[in-house]
Amino acid sequence: MDKLLITGGQPLAGEVRISGAKNAALPIMCAALLTAEPLRLDNVPRLMDVRTMAKILALMGVEVGAQENGRLELRAREIKDPTAGYDLVKTMRASVLVLGPLLARCGRAKVSLPGGCGIGARPVDQHIKGLQAMGARIEIEHGYMNASVGRLKGARIVMDLVTVTGTENLMLAAALAEGTTVLENAAREPEVVDLANCLAAMGAKIEGAGTDTLRIEGVRSLAGAAHRVMPDRIETGTYLSAVAAAGGKVRLSGTAAGTLGATLEKLREAGAKLAVAGDAITIEMAGRARSVSLTTAPYPGFATDMQAQFMALDCVASGTGQITETIFENRFMHALELQRLGADISIHDRTAVVKGVERLQGAKVMATDLRASASLVVAGLVAQGETLIDRIYHLDRGYEALEHKLSGLGAKIARVR
Ligand code: EPZ
């Protein structure tokens, strides 16, 4: 199995191009299920999760074009089998995003329950509750959600908590429902807005994207469209935190700084100099970072998907930072691995207290989930000597050409067997 070998200690310098957002591309690919016409996407990242979603869609009969230069064309002329099976769903929880659009288009769907996850329980009760409020019958049988409905009906749905894919699933379903759906306590993440923009280009009537109340007037049918996937704000934040930790000066192009408010604020607090010009962000870090404290929250709060990378930054910063995770109950697995590199972290319930150390030392570590892996890369780039990261298939799910991009910035990084 592939591993990543990093020899740390060099500052980063140069330019890196940010890819399209995984967490926008996945729901947008599912929008293709809502129309018989082609959906032409641009800026689709080349990632394992995108390939998994493409496989799931292809098994249903969706025509999936070859992915070239970020282009991907999907066409669900006919959905032969509205099923998403266990073998693929278990590898990627976002697969549950097919449930809403399948019900809306076919009136039935059979989707495997995602099951357990390394970062928390992650139930899908809000997805189910919302679809039931729209008239769907959903039964859990042999590990599958068996859903059926005549035509979905618009409803007023108050989500019990803010859920990103839950909001997206219901938005996809409501686009073709009869009547108006109002989603309250909806997620405000930029990826939700990107999906709404794509759906609008297909002819959907959606108001309020980016606020906590979405109003979706269902239409009879949707058309094909062309859409460019938004830049990946978490990939952007990961490179920014790597520069903040390792030092240096890097220009990131293809970004959307407007989606990174809380992350940029914390980087400034850590001592980074940031300049935004058009779609580029330039970061310069001279000297050692200062510790930052943060609490994760739904957008526009500090993203849980950036928490691990900032923990790595705090590990080498001057001072002590407190990091509180409020979204997922088990998202500190990276702390134990960071300790293997010499970090001083103590965990008290949902808060990690990170005392910065002068230097980390390279060691063998294991990636436990996507963003945990990213934090080990950030730490490895600063650590003295060699860091060998095992189980990097997690990284391949969400970071396009990671070692290539980092080598371009002067990092000593290689994929080894
Ligand atoms: C999305 O996951 C992202 N994935 C995650 O990114 C991200 O960490 C997360 O949102 C939070 O920002 C995609 O967009 C594909 P949630 P999602 O539903 O939608 C609870 C990454 O590294 N909940 O917003 O699955 C849930 O357990 C990934 O790229 C329920 O209780 O997250 C959690 O505590 C990992 N019932 C909280 O809500 C439900 O029905 C927020 O989860 C749904 C969620």
Side-chain angles (χ1 to χ4, degrees):
M1 208 183 292
D2 284 1
K3 299 180 177 61
L4 212 51
L5 180 65
I6 306 177
T7 310
Q10 288 83 30
L12 300 173
E15 177 151 353
V16 64
R17 181 145 191 99
I18 296 304
S19 302
K22 164 179 85 81
N23 289 346
L26 297 174
I28 286 170
M29 289 172 76
C30 295
L33 291 168
L34 295 171
T35 174
E37 293 177 15
L39 183 63
R40 293 193 186 91
L41 302 177
D42 262 316
N43 209 28
V44 178
R46 196 171 274 281
L47 297 170
M48 189 52 84
D49 275 9
V50 167
R51 279 200 286 279
T52 303
M53 186 60 88
K55 258 189 223 164
I56 289 173
L57 297 176
L59 284 172
M60 292 172 188
V62 178
E63 297 156 42
V64 180
Q67 191 180 345
E68 271 169 56
N69 296 327
R71 285 256 154 104
L72 182 65
E73 183 169 321
L74 303 165
R75 182 164 195 179
R77 217 184 287 259
E78 191 194 348
I79 295 170
K80 298 191 180 89
D81 181 14
T83 300
Y86 177 67
D87 288 340
L88 288 170
V89 174
K90 74 172 184 206
T91 67
M92 185 181 75
R93 301 181 58 86
S95 324
V96 75
L97 282 164
V98 299
L99 181 61
L102 283 177
L103 262 178
R105 173 94 182 268
C106 313
R108 64 195 174 92
K110 183 177 173 190
V111 178
S112 171
L113 265 177
C117 171
I119 61 178
R122 303 185 75 184
V124 289
D125 57 301
Q126 297 302 308
H127 304 233
I128 295 176
K129 187 186 110 170
L131 293 169
Q132 283 172 335
M134 295 170 79
R137 289 173 298 279
I138 303 181
E139 272 154 30
I140 312 290
E141 285 167 338
H142 305 293
Y144 278 80
M145 294 179 277
N146 276 320
S148 61
V149 69
R151 185 175 173 204
L152 289 169
K153 291 205 167 44
R156 175 171 172 264
I157 302 162
V158 184
M159 320 279 282
D160 293 340
L161 44 80
V162 179
T163 154
V164 179
T165 50
T167 301
E168 292 164 346
N169 222 341
L170 299 182
M171 189 160 69
L172 285 158
L176 281 185
E178 185 186 339
T180 302
T181 299
V182 177
L183 287 183
E184 290 184 26
N185 200 20
R188 292 178 281 169
E189 267 65 6
E191 292 76 11
V192 173
V193 179
D194 205 29
L195 173 63
N197 289 341
C198 176
L199 287 170
M202 295 166 70
K205 295 187 176 159
I206 302 175
E207 280 171 23
T211 74
D212 62 4
T213 306
L214 292 172
R215 196 185 161 84
I216 304 140
E217 206 184 302
V219 294
R220 264 269 159 217
S221 64
L222 291 169
H227 179 78
R228 183 175 174 81
V229 175
M230 65 174 277
D232 196 315
R233 64 191 169 101
I234 307 301
E235 188 197 19
T236 308
T238 301
Y239 283 98
L240 290 172
S241 56
V243 180
K249 184 175 179 182
V250 170
R251 181 173 185 270
L252 296 86
S253 60
T255 69
T259 62
L260 278 146
T263 300
L264 299 185
E265 205 170 290
K266 286 293 160 192
L267 286 165
R268 287 201 177 96
E269 206 179 307
K273 272 198 202 141
L274 295 166
V276 177
D279 78 351
I281 303 175
T282 301
I283 177 167
E284 188 171 1
M285 190 75 178
R288 191 175 172 195
R290 290 189 293 273
S291 289
V292 290
S293 291
L294 57 93
T295 299
T296 63
Y299 192 84
F302 190 91
T304 174
D305 288 346
M306 283 306 306
Q307 178 258 106
Q309 301 87 316
F310 269 69
M311 189 182 290
L313 173 59
D314 269 352
C315 286
V316 292
S318 63
T320 299
Q322 290 205 10
I323 295 186
T324 303
E325 171 61 50
T326 71
I327 308 292
F328 293 112
E329 61 273 22
N330 190 28
R331 212 174 195 184
F332 280 152
M333 299 281 278
H334 42 281
L336 297 165
E337 297 301 306
L338 290 168
Q339 281 171 353
R340 293 185 52 74
L341 300 173
D344 183 346
I345 305 170
S346 55
I347 307 244
H348 310 272
D349 194 20
R350 288 190 160 207
T351 299
V353 178
V354 188
K355 278 191 195 149
V357 295
E358 285 285 341
R359 59 177 53 87
L360 296 174
Q361 302 119 31
K364 286 186 180 169
V365 289
M366 195 176 75
T368 50
D369 74 72
L370 173 56
R371 309 305 169 187
S373 321
S375 79
L376 297 176
V377 172
V378 172
L381 290 170
V382 203
Q384 302 279 308
E386 291 189 343
T387 296
L388 188 65
I389 308 177
D390 201 351
R391 301 203 181 167
I392 55 160
Y393 53 83
H394 291 293
L395 279 171
D396 296 332
R397 290 187 55 185
Y399 289 92
E400 187 175 43
L402 178 91
E403 64 268 32
H404 185 73
K405 289 187 183 184
L406 280 171
S407 307
L409 298 177
K412 289 191 182 156
I413 182 167
R415 198 174 274 255
V416 296
R417 288 243 160 213

